[in-house]
Amino acid sequence: MFTRQRPDPSLFPRLLFFVNAALPALLLGWDSFNGRLGTNPQEYLIRTTGMLTLILMTATLTISPLVKITRSPALLPMMKVRRMAGLFTFFYAALHALSYSWFDKELDVRLIVADLLRRPFIFLGMFAFILLVPLAITSTKRMVRRLGGRRWNLLHRLVYLSAIAASVHYYLLVRADKLLPLAFATTLFLLLLWRGRDWSRRIGQP
Amino acid sequence: MLIKKTDDIASSEITPERDYLNRRNFIRGGLLAGTAAATTLLYRRLAVPAGSSRPVTGSSSTGPTSNLTTDQGESSTSFEDITNYNNFYEFSTSKEGVAARARNFVTRPWTVEVTGLVKRPRVFDLEELLRLGVEERLYRFRCVEAWSMVIPWLGIPLARLIDQVEPLGNASFVAFQTLFDPQRMPNQRTSVLDWPYVEGLRLDEARHPLTLLSTGLYGQPLLPQNGAPIRLVVPWKYGFKSIKSIVRIELTDRQPKTTWGDYAPDEYGFYSNVNPDVAHPRWSQARERRIGEWVMRDTLPFNGYAEQVASLYQGMDLRRYY
Ligand code: HEM
């Protein structure tokens, strides 16, 4: 029955985000199931999950600048989407790292470590991924309370370091035609710039 | 319960709110369906696996077949894979995108100018080249990106063409050049690489019996994505040495410029012989993914042709001359 209690305004944005962020994984799973991954399925899986990670990561970092710059009350519930967005980023990054470790290195730790030390782009990718792990672990409400908002916020600034590493990772691995990696790096740079200004302004406040 | 009862009675007041809610639900449903459709479409457009863009032609799985096997008992990679997964930056930097964008590439008439330090420089029409005698050869093909195929080429031994023009005594290298025509090769309008694509071989490499000027594969003329109408095939070198859609061949006394070598000299050497012991900064070359296989296999020195070609490099430090 209908009650007058207002439902959580972030419920619908979260549903919307969930559906759209989960769809690529479902489509990828569907294509895998049907063997429709093209000539080099292993490469296709590594690349698609890598690209999805970067897209999700960029989307996650865009939310709060978007809400704050537009100051639109209609967009305010989007702030509550960030946790889920971050977790999706982590989910795709884990799929990506697993695809690489499995398909390129047959889960052989020695091969992976050798590659890490030898190839800067692999090192940066792994670095970007490992930074996301503590953020995913501390994403629950309980962890926010346990850490305290301030410390939690500081910790979660690591996402910017992760994003920088991920952009360079992408830039280094493209053979030629660096347009798309540069576009991502520029977007990220602008987001970081805005963030930096936001932080310094808040520090200036009493 | 009491409130509910009041609500039921005052139906005139609740109706507008219901309408409002209905409208909101309608919009939300639309948003959900709309964005989901958009995401799916976008995903389908951007994450295209190789082969899914080819035109549907009757039965798709029954491509041409070949009964040849290599010296190591390997059989051919499928025609579909060979023709839908190509590095050909003149059309697209995406291996999956080349076939569709090259589909309407016109390759007749076509001439190849053979010039430089030769007694009889000449412009050959493609038909003349074909008359030099086309042979079928099944070769392993190893890309620098650590994937490989087995391809039943049709082609003319390059030595036969070189004999036709009679090299001068001081000729020691051969330079090759791809067509430059941004109208027909649309990606040449970008500056992804320094066009036209150029490659080179030492003269003795060029005259080696394994070196082929290919005009076809699987018994058919080359498709545009594979370098139609005529391309180089040097099976013991990384694939980028095997330059496509050749219009000019020049014999010289100097080591020719190569496109990838100019782009990144420490990554792509002039020789670029397949060598599991010399890693590329981006790819370990110790193993390769044979298209159609799940687990990677070990890469062989000179791509398995060491017996035939290793003598060409006697006394050379292959780490230095990579
Ligand atoms: C947050 C972390 C990461 C992000 C955002 C990311 C992003 C990307 C992107 C955008 C690509 C290119 C996809 C394309 O060409 O379309 C890529 C490729 C790749 N990534 Fe990552 N990556 C991350 C972590 C990692 C990790 C942890 C590894 C492995 C240790 C890794 C290994 C690779 C490899 C090997 C490729 C190359 C695929 C190929 O060219 O065949 N990445 N990544």
Side-chain angles (χ1 to χ4, degrees):
Chain A
M1 263 289 102
F2 175 71
T3 61
R4 279 180 185 277
Q5 195 198 345
R6 288 203 18 97
D8 179 354
S10 76
L11 206 61
F12 178 70
R14 276 178 15 225
L15 178 67
L16 197 64
F17 192 93
F18 183 87
V19 167
N20 284 288
L23 258 175
L26 288 176
L27 291 166
L28 195 58
W30 175 250
D31 287 348
S32 308
F33 181 73
N34 289 301
R36 287 193 66 255
L37 299 176
T39 296
N40 192 339
Q42 299 94 329
E43 181 192 65
Y44 181 81
L45 285 167
I46 296 174
R47 292 202 158 175
T48 308
T49 50
M51 189 46 94
L52 287 167
T53 309
L54 196 56
I55 291 171
L56 262 295
M57 187 180 255
T58 312
T60 310
L61 295 177
T62 309
I63 295 174
S64 84
L66 188 75
V67 171
K68 290 187 183 168
I69 290 170
T70 58
R71 291 169 196 249
S72 154
L75 289 182
L76 203 59
M78 292 273 290
M79 293 299 265
K80 287 249 171 89
V81 174
R82 286 179 304 171
R83 183 212 318 250
M84 182 193 286
L87 285 173
F88 265 112
T89 307
F90 179 71
F91 166 67
Y92 282 109
L95 282 182
H96 180 58
L98 179 68
S99 311
Y100 156 84
S101 310
W102 184 10
F103 306 146
D104 272 10
K105 304 293 159 195
E106 278 122 43
L107 299 178
D108 183 332
V109 178
R110 278 166 318 166
L111 284 180
I112 296 172
V113 171
D115 217 21
L116 272 174
L117 298 179
R118 182 121 201 210
R119 278 167 244 295
F121 91 96
I122 294 289
F123 184 87
L124 286 166
M126 196 55 98
F127 183 65
F129 174 61
I130 286 175
L131 284 180
L132 294 181
V133 175
L135 307 199
I137 293 174
T138 57
S139 66
T140 60
K141 279 201 180 97
R142 235 188 55 208
M143 283 308 260
V144 182
R145 267 200 308 271
R146 258 180 67 176
L147 280 172
R150 219 188 145 75
R151 267 192 298 169
W152 189 91
N153 269 328
L154 257 152
L155 178 68
H156 279 246
R157 283 185 195 173
L158 283 181
V159 72
Y160 283 94
L161 198 57
S162 172
I164 291 168
S167 315
V168 182
H169 163 70
Y170 182 28
Y171 181 87
L172 287 179
L173 72 91
V174 170
R175 272 178 87 181
D177 198 2
K178 309 266 190 188
L179 194 69
L180 208 53
L182 282 175
F184 272 105
T186 310
T187 309
L188 183 83
F189 179 73
L190 292 175
L191 288 171
L192 199 67
L193 207 68
W194 182 86
R195 259 280 114 121
R197 240 192 34 171
D198 196 44
W199 287 331
S200 60
R201 248 201 340 241
R202 272 192 298 180
I203 288 164
Q205 278 169 8
Chain B
M1 283 298 120
L2 201 79
I3 293 171
K4 185 185 146 207
K5 224 169 184 157
T6 336
D7 274 2
D8 281 345
I9 296 163
S11 63
S12 60
E13 284 198 7
I14 205 119
T15 313
E17 184 149 18
R18 267 212 187 123
D19 276 354
Y20 165 72
L21 284 175
N22 277 340
R23 210 179 70 204
R24 199 175 68 170
N25 282 340
F26 182 74
I27 291 172
R28 288 183 163 185
L31 262 173
L32 213 51
T35 55
T39 301
T40 305
L41 275 174
L42 207 64
Y43 179 83
R44 283 281 173 242
R45 274 203 70 101
L46 297 181
V48 186
S52 52
S53 63
R54 72 180 182 282
V56 181
T57 49
S59 51
S60 60
S61 56
T62 56
T65 54
S66 163
N67 298 323
L68 296 176
T69 49
T70 65
D71 46 345
Q72 296 170 17
E74 304 148 299
S75 49
S76 313
T77 304
S78 79
F79 181 78
E80 184 179 326
D81 285 338
I82 295 174
T83 55
N84 282 291
Y85 187 74
N86 315 94
N87 272 317
F88 202 170
Y89 283 19
E90 281 80 347
F91 292 100
S92 168
T93 51
S94 139
K95 291 188 282 292
E96 295 80 7
V98 171
R101 291 191 70 189
R103 194 174 297 153
N104 299 316
F105 181 58
V106 177
T107 55
R108 300 294 157 93
W110 193 279
T111 58
V112 180
E113 181 187 10
V114 187
T115 182
L117 301 175
V118 297
K119 218 178 275 170
R120 302 179 199 285
R122 227 180 108 185
V123 175
F124 290 84
D125 197 77
L126 188 66
E127 318 303 328
E128 292 176 89
L129 290 173
L130 291 170
R131 278 201 292 275
L132 292 177
V134 173
E135 301 176 8
E136 182 162 38
R137 305 264 182 90
L138 186 66
Y139 284 157
R140 286 175 289 279
F141 181 91
R142 169 64 156 80
C143 180
V144 70
E145 295 170 359
W147 53 267
S148 63
M149 297 183 175
V150 181
I151 305 180
W153 298 107
L154 293 177
I156 309 139
L158 178 57
R160 223 175 271 172
L161 173 68
I162 291 175
D163 287 344
Q164 294 275 313
V165 293
E166 299 178 33
L168 298 176
N170 56 343
S172 45
F173 289 95
V174 187
F176 303 84
Q177 187 180 318
T178 296
L179 173 73
F180 179 69
D181 186 349
Q183 295 289 325
R184 291 153 74 194
M185 296 182 145
N187 228 32
Q188 286 180 336
R189 278 175 234 153
T190 71
S191 51
V192 170
L193 288 176
D194 192 10
W195 317 112
Y197 195 91
V198 288
E199 257 305 336
L201 294 174
R202 239 169 38 193
L203 184 57
D204 58 342
E205 296 175 323
R207 298 188 92 139
H208 192 279
L210 286 176
T211 306
L212 224 53
L213 270 182
S214 168
T215 54
L217 56 83
Y218 266 112
Q220 305 177 3
L222 284 180
L223 290 176
Q225 58 265 40
N226 295 112
I230 188 159
R231 66 167 297 167
L232 187 66
V233 174
V234 196
W236 70 93
K237 291 176 182 285
Y238 294 118
F240 67 87
K241 293 294 289 182
S242 293
I243 182 172
K244 292 167 167 161
S245 305
I246 299 170
V247 291
R248 192 166 186 279
I249 299 175
E250 182 184 352
L251 283 83
T252 80
D253 54 0
R254 246 166 297 171
Q255 180 174 307
K257 172 175 128 83
T258 64
T259 297
W260 281 105
D262 262 27
Y263 180 85
D266 51 336
E267 296 181 33
Y268 308 96
F270 177 76
Y271 287 95
S272 287
N273 293 318
V274 174
N275 189 343
D277 299 327
V278 175
H280 181 279
R282 194 184 163 314
W283 304 277
S284 153
Q285 299 295 15
R287 301 188 309 157
E288 68 199 51
R289 176 166 293 125
R290 177 64 52 80
I291 296 305
E293 295 180 355
W294 188 252
V295 178
M296 291 177 111
R297 50 163 76 204
D298 289 339
T299 289
L300 303 172
F302 298 105
N303 203 20
Y305 300 100
E307 214 174 289
Q308 293 98 313
V309 302
S311 58
L312 291 173
Y313 309 101
Q314 212 127 56
M316 279 173 73
D317 178 0
L318 295 176
R319 290 189 169 274
R320 189 159 162 232
Y321 298 99
Y322 56 87

